[in-house]
Amino acid sequence: MQEQTNLASTFQTYMENPLLWPILEVLRKQPSGWKVHTLAAHLGEQGFIYELDPLPEKDLFKRNFLIMNALYQLQETLYPDNWLQVEAMDIVLMSSHACAGHTIDVDDPLREYYVQWQNYEANEGEVKRLLNEFWTRYRRFVGHHEGDDIDRNKALQLFELDQHATAADIRKRWRRLALRWHPDRDNGNAERFRILCEAWNVLRH
């Protein structure tokens, strides 16, 4: 039983929550006034979150877990250029000048809980399936077209990485490029971002 609930350390470290990017778009448009449940409801209206469990209390728990996990990952991604305040009842995206005095507390027990995927109460295969479904939905949202997939070599070229790049290298570069070209950023580019999404879809496996 323990083998089913324990997730590999590499999975824990590198499995990105695709909700980062729709959440970033939401917070760019409305930086404050969000709570976990209102953010989850808004993402549900946009089609990013669906029913996760037939039991209402488990469905609520899983929705909250996914949102909190994504928020903590996004906090790390945005820091130090922006500060994302992650509190269940007060989620705020702050500008760069508000970052002073804020640091990521890697020992925060709440953060530690929500970044560990085994606390989602599922085995690795189930979590991978869930996140792959979310990623498929997001690719459609940003304009994925059937038949325009790229191969690994082309994806690495787009990321300006060589064949020896590690999973950590790829993930780090993806987040940097995604932030640079995200359509809601100043000087962002929707088409460039879409192409990078396709490259990440190849390299993340």
Side-chain angles (χ1 to χ4, degrees):
M1 187 68 177
Q2 187 173 3
E3 291 178 358
Q4 290 184 322
T5 56
N6 286 347
L7 280 74
S9 60
T10 52
F11 175 83
Q12 294 279 11
T13 304
Y14 300 118
M15 197 63 171
E16 178 170 288
N17 187 330
L19 293 177
L20 264 71
W21 308 106
I23 287 175
L24 177 60
E25 291 180 40
V26 170
L27 293 177
R28 291 280 183 205
K29 292 170 183 171
Q30 183 184 325
S32 62
W34 294 103
K35 300 175 174 59
V36 170
H37 67 278
T38 60
L39 186 54
H42 184 72
L43 292 171
E45 290 169 3
Q46 292 184 316
F48 289 116
I49 299 182
Y50 47 90
E51 182 181 274
L52 300 169
D53 198 288
L55 296 175
E57 62 274 17
K58 282 197 170 184
D59 183 65
L60 179 61
F61 167 79
K62 289 181 177 181
R63 285 168 182 261
N64 286 351
F65 183 94
L66 286 167
I67 296 293
M68 291 295 287
N69 175 278
L71 287 168
Y72 279 119
Q73 288 198 38
L74 186 57
Q75 182 188 65
E76 181 183 342
T77 300
L78 293 172
Y79 185 79
D81 296 324
N82 295 94
W83 178 251
L84 177 58
Q85 176 176 291
V86 182
E87 296 178 7
M89 303 304 287
D90 191 18
I91 300 161
V92 183
L93 178 61
M94 302 178 186
S95 59
S96 56
H97 71 271
C99 287
H102 292 287
T103 56
I104 295 174
D105 182 3
V106 295
D107 296 319
D108 177 8
L110 196 63
R111 177 190 180 85
E112 177 67 16
Y113 179 83
Y114 282 113
V115 299
Q116 296 297 322
W117 282 108
Q118 74 262 21
N119 294 325
Y120 183 78
E121 298 181 351
N123 63 32
E124 182 172 335
E126 290 176 284
V127 176
K128 281 184 176 179
R129 178 189 55 76
L130 170 72
L131 297 184
N132 283 335
E133 288 178 8
F134 281 163
W135 183 250
T136 298
R137 286 167 181 253
Y138 190 64
R139 288 171 69 211
R140 285 200 297 264
F141 177 76
V142 299
H144 166 68
H145 304 292
E146 294 298 329
D148 65 355
D149 290 323
I150 59 179
D151 62 22
R152 183 176 175 81
N153 288 336
K154 178 63 175 176
L156 286 169
Q157 288 175 15
L158 287 167
F159 276 30
E160 298 179 359
L161 294 172
D162 62 32
Q163 296 288 339
H164 303 294
T166 65
D169 294 333
I170 291 169
R171 183 173 183 239
K172 183 177 179 181
R173 183 64 60 89
W174 152 243
R175 289 192 172 187
R176 192 167 79 218
L177 290 171
L179 279 177
R180 167 68 181 84
W181 296 106
H182 195 283
D184 283 345
R185 301 274 293 189
D186 291 339
N187 301 316
N189 185 299
E191 179 59 17
R192 182 73 175 267
F193 181 75
R194 185 192 69 78
I195 293 170
L196 290 169
C197 282
E198 294 304 317
W200 169 244
N201 186 56
V202 172
L203 297 173
R204 70 190 179 87
H205 294 291

